[in-house]
Amino acid sequence: MIRAADSVFLPVFRSIGGRDRVAVLINAFFDESSEGDAHNGLLTVSGYALDLAGVGRLTAEWQTLLDDYRLPYFHMAECNACDGIFEHLDNTECDNCAREAISIARAHPLHAHSFVLDQPQYREILQDQGFDCDPYSFMVFSAFLHVNKWVHENQPTRRISLFFESGYRTQKRATEVLQYVTKDNLRGKNRVDSYTFVRKEASYPTQAADLIAWHIRKGYENLRYGKPVRKDTKALLEDRTVLTIEFNESRLEEIRDNFCRKSGNLSNAAKVLFSDDDVLLG
């Protein structure tokens, strides 16, 4: 039987050089999570970086988790509510499933990255002022930059494959952004070999990314509303290095001012970052 992870990873590995390359490959898996009002609330893009051995171990344990709880895939929002694909489980079983998922997600990644922003705030400061990049695509762009930086500084002999969950409403724009930025050598620091969008159901590491994305968002939501951070969020993140960047108002304004200083205005900044047009880059 072909496992879900096999159906995603084997063709990708073959496309970038097969077995001779996988030993030096880092795989970074990202998922997004948004508040109930998906267009206007907090949005996070979070994920894990794993080497091939880590992918294999996580995949095997995740498959056992799904088999034990009779699940087609793992989705933290449904697990928390004990509904949808989790409706055949009682509250205690859902809680135990989440605990086991946390244990697996903590065990195998090399590193974690997370990006958080308030969507109306982002649009007011950047997108509505001419920066042609929606909140989700901006954080995909940020993930590309920061995973590159982390690998260059910590795993300099390795290359990266990026995986994002497919189906987000602005995936087309995110794909365009990745298409442009992957052509940039980043002064010799670009380590990205490939990027792709995968179905969460077909990628166990992306389901682990769903777990951390949901918990990071809930943690920031709780802090905004003066609530304590959940114990299971602390259990997931405790003693683990998670590079978390909150694009708060002051950070967004700093980015805006820097873009305008270098490019004249936000419209030109987006063209310089995300366009093949040599005239615009001149």
Side-chain angles (χ1 to χ4, degrees), residues 40-235:
N40 289 315
L42 281 179
L43 176 68
T44 64
V45 169
S46 305
Y48 289 116
L50 302 97
D51 58 17
L52 182 59
V55 170
R57 291 191 295 267
L58 184 147
T59 294
E61 294 180 19
W62 208 267
Q63 180 66 55
T64 299
L65 173 76
L66 299 182
D67 290 343
D68 287 347
Y69 288 95
R70 307 177 305 283
L71 296 167
Y73 58 90
F74 182 90
H75 185 212
M76 186 58 208
E78 292 175 83
C79 182
N80 183 65
C82 215
D83 64 9
I85 59 173
F86 288 82
E87 64 181 1
H88 63 286
L89 303 177
D90 61 28
N91 289 336
T92 299
E93 290 172 316
C94 286
D95 181 65
N96 289 338
C97 182
R99 290 172 184 268
E100 292 182 32
I102 286 173
S103 178
I104 297 170
R106 283 173 55 84
H108 305 297
L110 301 172
H111 193 70
H113 294 79
S114 188
F115 307 92
V116 186
L117 57 71
D118 178 274
Q119 295 179 89
Q121 197 171 73
Y122 171 87
R123 283 192 288 270
E124 179 182 354
I125 296 172
L126 285 171
Q127 189 177 7
D128 292 349
Q129 305 306 314
F131 189 65
D132 183 19
C133 189
D134 62 276
Y136 172 74
S137 300
F138 176 77
M139 289 203 288
V140 167
F141 169 58
S142 299
F144 168 87
L145 292 179
H146 284 280
V147 173
N148 252 305
K149 181 180 179 182
W150 174 78
V151 171
H152 181 78
E153 293 177 351
N154 297 279
Q155 305 278 342
T157 64
R158 300 200 179 197
R159 307 291 295 180
I160 312 163
S161 282
L162 297 175
F163 298 85
F164 298 91
E165 186 195 1
S166 63
Y168 196 78
R169 64 179 180 274
T170 58
Q171 179 182 323
K172 183 177 183 294
R173 181 55 176 153
T175 302
E176 292 172 348
V177 168
L178 286 172
Q179 176 185 338
Y180 297 139
V181 299
T182 50
K183 295 179 181 179
D184 192 331
N185 191 41
L186 300 181
R187 298 179 181 177
K189 297 180 181 180
N190 185 5
R191 296 291 188 265
V192 172
D193 269 345
S194 64
Y195 62 86
T196 189
F197 290 81
V198 299
R199 292 187 304 110
K200 184 184 298 180
E201 298 90 334
S203 169
Y204 302 139
T206 305
Q207 294 170 36
D210 168 86
L211 178 73
I212 190 174
W214 189 90
H215 277 285
I216 291 287
R217 177 182 59 79
K218 288 297 293 185
Y220 273 90
E221 279 182 33
N222 286 3
L223 291 173
R224 288 179 101 192
Y225 300 124
K227 299 179 181 179
V229 175
R230 293 166 53 115
K231 291 181 180 179
D232 53 351
T233 300
K234 293 180 179 179

Side-chain angles (χ1 to χ4, degrees), residues 199-265:
R199 292 187 304 110
K200 184 184 298 180
E201 298 90 334
S203 169
Y204 302 139
T206 305
Q207 294 170 36
D210 168 86
L211 178 73
I212 190 174
W214 189 90
H215 277 285
I216 291 287
R217 177 182 59 79
K218 288 297 293 185
Y220 273 90
E221 279 182 33
N222 286 3
L223 291 173
R224 288 179 101 192
Y225 300 124
K227 299 179 181 179
V229 175
R230 293 166 53 115
K231 291 181 180 179
D232 53 351
T233 300
K234 293 180 179 179
L236 175 65
L237 304 177
E238 187 176 29
D239 300 326
R240 291 294 182 272
T241 301
V242 181
L243 174 65
T244 303
I245 296 177
E246 180 188 6
F247 292 103
N248 55 25
E249 183 176 13
S250 60
R251 185 184 289 269
L252 291 172
E253 289 175 342
E254 181 181 356
I255 291 170
R256 176 199 63 197
D257 294 345
N258 187 50
F259 282 168
C260 289
R261 186 164 53 250
K262 290 183 176 181
S263 302
N265 57 57

